[in-house]
Amino acid sequence: MEKQYVQIEMMDESKIVIELLPEYAPISVEFFLELVDEKYYDGLVFHRAVNGFMIQGGSPNGDGIGGCGRTVVGEFSN
């Protein structure tokens, strides 16, 4: 499977490139890409950042509650 990447452009013009892993979470990747195509994330902030681990964004109010009006099922393995 060909690798998929998304580039996030920050307000200070720096860039973050993330690799998507649809082989592990195909529904989540598809959902994320739909929101990217709809420009849902444009202008939103990261409301949570843990250095060396993760960033979290996508909440219009910046509070982590969400807000796109849709949900996605969890794709967890045992």
Side-chain angles (χ1 to χ4, degrees), residues 37-50:
D37 287 343
E38 294 169 10
K39 301 192 181 309
Y40 172 77
Y41 298 107
D42 289 8
L44 298 185
V45 301
F46 292 116
H47 60 270
R48 184 174 177 203
V50 180

Side-chain angles (χ1 to χ4, degrees), residues 7-55:
Q7 179 171 285
I8 300 169
E9 298 177 6
M10 309 299 285
M11 289 177 63
D12 67 359
E13 298 184 12
S14 62
K15 295 173 177 42
I16 298 171
V17 176
I18 59 172
E19 180 180 354
L20 304 176
L21 302 171
E23 63 270 27
Y24 297 106
I27 298 168
S28 297
V29 168
E30 181 180 349
F31 181 70
F32 174 72
L33 289 174
E34 286 174 8
L35 292 176
V36 169
D37 287 343
E38 294 169 10
K39 301 192 181 309
Y40 172 77
Y41 298 107
D42 289 8
L44 298 185
V45 301
F46 292 116
H47 60 270
R48 184 174 177 203
V50 180
N51 192 24
F53 176 59
M54 58 84 83
I55 56 175

